[in-house]
Amino acid sequence: MVSDQDYSGFRILREGLTGNRGWRPAWRDPDPQHAYDFVIVGGGGHGLATAYYLASQFGEASVAVLEKGWIGGGNVGRNTTIIRSNYLLDGNQPFYEFSLKLWEGLEQDFNYNAMVSQRGVYNIYHSDAQRDAYRRRGNAMILHGADAELLDADQLRAECPFLNFENGRFPLLGALVQRRGGTVRHDAVAWGYARGADRRGVDIIQNCEVTGFRIQNGRCTGVETSRGFIAARKVGCAVAGSSSRVMQAAGLRLPIESHVLQAFVSEGLKPIIPGVVTYGAGHFYISQSDKGGLVFGGDIDMYNSYAQRGNLPVVEDVCEGGMTLMPMVGRARMVRMWGGIMDMSMDGSPIIDRTPIDGLYFNGGWCYGGFKATPASGWCFAHLLATDTPHETAIAYRMDRFRRGAMIDEKGSGAQPNLH
Amino acid sequence: MIIDHPLLGPRDSQEFVLLGDASLLDRPDWQAESADEAFYEYQYLRDNPAGTHRELWYHEMGDRSWLIVTRDTVSHAVLKVELASAVASGRRDR
Ligand SMILES: Cc1cc2nc3c(=O)[nH]c(=O)nc-3n(C[C@H](O)[C@H](O)[C@H](O)COP(=O)(O)OP(=O)(O)OC[C@H]3O[C@@H](n4cnc5c(N)ncnc54)[C@H](O)[C@@H]3O)c2cc1C
C-alpha cells in the first residue's frame, strides 16, 4: 500500500521544501456507524493491532475500535517497553517467538517508526541451580527457533562492567541473553497500529465506553456504548485490566484478578546501560530509553487494584533491587512513576478464545507481559475473529484450560495471580 | 496502606501477604454431586470487583493471624478488618 501520505525520509525533505503543508492527522476521528462486521472493544495495543490485522491480513473492511478514553492511555502507554521471546513452555514460546518475528518487520509493515531496538535482554543468574534452569530455558527457546546464549561471569562482566560483582549473598554468575530481545517505543506502537488500521478503513472511535452487550438467544448482536448502540456481527474484547468489569456485563466470570504494576523513570543520562538487564535474585529490571532516562520496575503491588497508582513499599523494594544490582543508579534522580492495571490470570498466561456467547470473543489475561505480545496477540485474535479457528501459535490459550487442568504456568506457582 | 489489626492496632500492610478473595474461605463440599464444577469455580473464577472487595490477608511478619480485610480496590481505602477465625467460628455457630 503506497500513498502520498507515507512517512519516509524523502517525505520529510519534500514537506520541508514545501512549507510542511502536506501533513494530515495520522488517523480520522469518525462518528460511530450504526453497524459493523467487527467491533473491537478497547483501543490499547492489542485492540488496535487486532483491527489492523483484520484489515491488512484478513481483508475485512467493516471494523471499528471503541476506546473509552484515548488510544494509548492504558497499559500500552504505561509499560516498560521490553520485548523478548524467552519462555519455557510449549504453550507460550511459539507464540512469543511469532510476536518477536512480527516486531522485526513491523515498522516497514505499518510504515511508522516504532523505534524497535534489538539491544538484547540479559537475565542474570546467581546460583548453580538458577544457571541450570536458565540453560534449560535457553534450550527450549532454541528448540522453538528463537535465539539464546548463556554467558558466564567473565563474559557478563565484559558486556556489563557496571554491575556490582561484589555481591556476596547473591553472586553474579552469568546471564541468559536473548540478543534479539530489546525495547520498543510503546506509544508509537499504539499510534502506528492506529494509523495503519485507519488507512485501511478501520474506524477508531475514542471517548466511547462500552457499557453492555446486547445478547439475544445466546448470541451477541452488538454493544451498548456511551455513544449509543452499535450493532456488530462479531465483538472482540481486548480491555486488559478492565477485563472482569467489561465481561461481567455479558454475565461472565473470568479466571482473572486486576493488580497494579508500577514503573519508574530517572532523569536523562548519557548512554550507560546497553540492553535490558534483569536481576535474578529479586525482582528488578532496567533499560535506558533513547531519551536517556533509566526505565525500571519490579514486582506488582500484590493486592487487587483498579487505581492505576501503587504504594511506597514497592517503590522501596524496586529501588533496593536497583541499588543491589548496579549501585551507580543511586546517583540518578527518579523523576516519574506511575501504575497500570494488570489483568493477572490464574496461571500467568493469556487467553485468546471464543466465549460461551456466540459472536463474543475474548482476549486478556496478559499479566505484566502483554506489551511484547502485542503484534502476535493482534494477529491471532484477528485470525480467530475472521476464521473462527485459533491461530496455530495460540491454540493453548483457551478459556477452558483451567477447567481441564491444562494450565500454562511458567513459574509453577498455582492459582494465585499475585505470585505470577 | 495501613491495616487496623483487631488485636494489634494499625500495622503497615508490608507486614502482611495477601492470599486473595475471602470467598476462598467457602470451600465447596467435596462430596456433592456438583463438586467438580464447584471446585473449578472456587479455585479459578473471581468476581474481581472495582470497588468493595473482601480479601484474606495473613500477618506473616506479625502474629501470624489471618484477617479478612474489606478494602476499596479503586481508592485503596481499608474499610473494615476482622479476624478470619472470628468470622469463621461465627459462621459455625449459626
Ligand atoms: C508498569 C507496567 C510495565 C509493563 N512492562 C511491560 C514490559 O516491559 N513488557 C511487556 O511485554 N509488557 C509489559 N507490561 C504489560 C503490558 O503493558 C500489557 O500487558 C498490555 O499493554 C495490555 O494490552 P493493551 O495494550 O491492549 O492494554 P491497554 O492499553 O490497557 O488497553 C485496554 C484499553 O481498553 C480500554 N477500555 C477499558 N474498558 C473499556 C470499555 N468499557 N469500553 C471501551 N474501552 C475500554 C482502556 O481504556 C484501554 O485503553 C507492563 C505494564 C505496566 C502497567
Side-chain angles (χ1 to χ4, degrees):
Chain A
M1 173 175 182
V2 180
S3 89
D4 68 343
Q5 284 298 313
D6 278 357
Y7 293 160
S8 65
F10 172 71
R11 172 92 189 277
I12 291 175
L13 199 66
R14 194 184 71 207
E15 294 289 347
L17 294 174
T18 54
N20 283 308
R21 282 187 297 266
W23 301 111
R24 299 277 170 275
W27 55 84
R28 298 163 296 134
D29 184 21
D31 286 324
Q33 296 170 24
H34 295 299
Y36 293 92
D37 284 345
F38 297 88
V39 161
I40 309 300
V41 186
H46 293 216
L48 293 166
T50 303
Y52 174 77
Y53 291 120
L54 270 173
S56 74
Q57 296 300 319
F58 298 94
E60 297 295 348
S62 170
V63 182
V65 178
L66 310 183
E67 164 56 48
K68 76 171 174 191
W70 67 95
I71 60 168
N75 291 344
V76 69
R78 292 167 183 268
N79 62 73
T80 40
T81 79
I82 301 164
I83 63 165
R84 56 188 168 88
S85 65
N86 58 357
Y87 285 72
L88 174 71
L89 301 179
D90 289 345
N92 277 329
Q93 180 58 14
F95 171 83
Y96 286 101
E97 177 54 21
F98 177 47
S99 204
L100 194 51
K101 290 212 169 75
L102 289 175
W103 283 118
E104 286 171 329
L106 184 63
E107 296 166 294
Q108 299 306 319
D109 189 48
F110 67 20
N111 179 237
Y112 201 91
N113 181 7
M115 296 161 69
V116 177
S117 168
Q118 295 181 290
R119 53 184 71 183
V121 175
Y122 298 76
N123 297 130
I124 298 174
Y125 57 84
H126 307 264
S127 66
D128 290 351
Q130 197 172 23
R131 181 201 54 221
D132 294 349
Y134 278 13
R135 183 186 293 280
R136 177 174 174 227
R137 176 186 297 257
N139 285 337
M141 291 160 64
I142 291 166
L143 284 172
H144 285 297
D147 65 304
E149 214 177 297
L150 200 69
L151 304 187
D152 63 21
D154 288 339
Q155 290 168 309
L156 178 61
R157 194 191 293 266
E159 297 193 21
C160 300
F162 50 83
L163 298 173
N164 176 19
F165 286 87
E166 307 305 314
N167 188 332
R169 175 67 184 87
F170 300 110
L172 277 60
L173 301 182
L176 180 68
V177 188
Q178 182 172 35
R179 304 225 181 258
R180 288 164 58 244
T183 58
V184 182
R185 169 87 200 277
H186 51 10
D187 303 307
V189 174
W191 301 332
Y193 275 123
R195 174 169 167 273
D198 177 90
R199 294 173 89 196
R200 288 164 178 81
V202 172
D203 282 357
I204 294 166
I205 300 160
Q206 304 184 70
N207 299 311
C208 181
E209 177 168 6
V210 171
T211 54
F213 300 90
R214 195 170 284 182
I215 296 166
Q216 286 160 337
N217 303 323
R219 177 162 193 94
C220 180
T221 57
V223 289
E224 309 287 349
T225 80
S226 53
R227 294 173 70 171
F229 175 72
I230 301 173
R233 209 157 56 73
K234 293 181 179 178
V235 176
C237 277
V239 294
S242 302
S243 292
S244 297
R245 289 170 92 169
V246 173
M247 298 311 276
Q248 190 192 24
L252 299 177
R253 273 176 97 212
L254 302 179
I256 286 177
E257 287 181 8
S258 295
H259 287 256
V260 58
L261 177 67
Q262 306 189 57
F264 309 88
V265 171
S266 79
E267 61 195 313
L269 305 169
K270 289 186 176 175
I272 46 172
I273 298 177
V276 178
V277 183
T278 75
Y279 183 42
H283 201 168
F284 176 80
Y285 46 89
I286 190 167
S287 64
Q288 188 168 15
S289 79
D290 294 297
K291 274 194 295 188
L294 303 178
V295 182
F296 55 98
D299 269 326
I300 56 174
D301 267 42
M302 299 285 174
Y303 48 81
N304 296 48
S305 174
Y306 283 92
Q308 289 194 321
R309 64 182 167 74
N311 270 300
L312 292 172
V314 166
V315 181
E316 189 177 7
D317 185 66
V318 168
C319 292
E320 281 171 357
M323 288 302 289
T324 313
L325 186 64
M326 44 180 91
M328 67 171 181
V329 300
R331 298 287 296 277
R333 273 166 300 205
M334 200 160 87
V335 291
R336 286 187 295 130
M337 54 187 272
W338 63 89
I341 301 307
M342 233 59 24
D343 35 341
M344 301 297 295
S345 70
M346 285 288 162
D347 61 358
S349 294
I351 296 165
I352 303 177
D353 201 359
R354 288 184 283 235
T355 69
I357 297 159
D358 282 341
L360 181 60
Y361 300 75
F362 177 71
N363 173 318
W366 291 100
C367 303
Y368 46 80
F371 177 65
K372 70 177 91 71
T374 305
S377 167
W379 187 300
C380 294
F381 202 31
H383 187 286
L384 179 69
L385 283 160
T387 68
D388 266 311
T389 53
H391 186 265
E392 59 179 359
T393 63
I395 43 177
Y397 294 155
R398 288 169 56 154
M399 189 99 84
D400 69 357
R401 68 175 183 266
F402 303 95
R403 191 191 296 267
R404 291 182 299 119
M407 265 66 75
I408 317 168
D409 189 343
E410 288 275 336
K411 282 200 190 159
S413 49
Q416 199 183 328
N418 63 358
L419 298 184
H420 288 294
Chain B
M1 279 185 313
I2 302 291
I3 293 178
D4 199 1
H5 194 297
L7 305 175
L8 304 175
R11 310 297 310 176
D12 193 321
S13 65
Q14 246 187 310
E15 296 174 5
F16 297 79
V17 291
L18 170 76
L19 180 69
D21 192 312
S23 67
L24 290 169
L25 281 176
D26 306 320
R27 222 178 150 76
D29 174 6
W30 63 277
Q31 288 177 312
E33 260 320 285
S34 58
D36 238 20
E37 184 65 21
F39 268 98
Y40 157 67
E41 292 187 6
Y42 168 82
Q43 177 82 333
Y44 296 114
L45 301 187
R46 298 287 182 268
D47 290 338
N48 192 22
T52 306
H53 190 218
R54 286 182 82 230
E55 47 201 30
L56 279 167
W57 291 70
Y58 178 58
H59 200 190
E60 189 180 40
M61 312 284 187
D63 70 346
R64 311 271 176 101
S65 57
W66 281 96
L67 303 182
I68 296 180
V69 176
T70 308
R71 210 173 46 89
D72 187 325
T73 59
V74 177
S75 68
H76 293 165
V78 175
L79 306 172
K80 187 172 173 191
V81 186
E82 305 155 277
L83 283 173
S85 56
V87 173
S89 59
R91 268 195 213 160
R92 236 174 278 132
D93 294 345
R94 271 203 301 275

